[in-house]
């Protein structure tokens, strides 16, 4: 029973960690969109931000996919 509880807590924590990553991505992306509204010439710093957000999202997606694989669940 103790092993089952530890396993459940570990899985719960992994989901929470990924949820935090996705939450941060969502609001970072909204900030980026608000910044670009009305811009006719996108500055280098905005392009760098876009690349960073893209990388951050891919890392979060990879972590989620790994978790699905570990659980044997494919959504």
């Amino acid at each position: 029973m103790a092993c089952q509880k530890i396993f459940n807590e570990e899985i719960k924590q992994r989901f929470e960690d990924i949820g935090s990553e996705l939450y941060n991505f969502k609001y970072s992306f909204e900030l980026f969109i608000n910044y670009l509204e009305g811009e006719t010439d996108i500055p280098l710093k905005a392009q760098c931000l876009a690349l960073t957000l893209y990388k951050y999202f891919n890392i979060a997606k990879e972590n989620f996919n790994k978790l699905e694989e570990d659980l044997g669940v494919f959504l």
Side-chain angles (χ1 to χ4, degrees):
M1 186 71 170
C3 290
Q4 185 65 28
K5 181 165 178 59
I6 291 170
F7 179 73
N8 288 340
E9 290 300 316
E10 178 184 350
I11 297 300
K12 180 181 174 186
Q13 184 60 48
R14 288 175 72 183
F15 271 112
E16 288 175 4
D17 291 346
I18 291 171
S20 294
E21 292 172 357
L22 294 174
Y23 176 86
N24 291 337
F25 173 75
K26 175 185 174 185
Y27 287 102
S28 296
F29 193 67
E30 284 181 7
L31 176 65
F32 174 69
I33 296 298
N34 290 337
Y35 175 77
L36 291 180
E37 280 184 356
E39 291 287 324
T40 56
D41 186 27
I42 300 172
L44 179 60
K45 63 183 175 183
Q47 292 175 12
C48 290
L49 178 60
L51 291 172
T52 301
L53 291 175
Y54 180 74
K55 181 179 179 180
Y56 187 76
F57 175 77
N58 283 332
I59 290 170
K61 182 179 175 188
E62 287 173 13
N63 287 338
F64 187 76
N65 289 343
K66 176 68 174 143
L67 181 57
E68 285 182 328
E69 183 181 314
D70 289 349
L71 293 174
V73 177
F74 298 98
L75 299 175

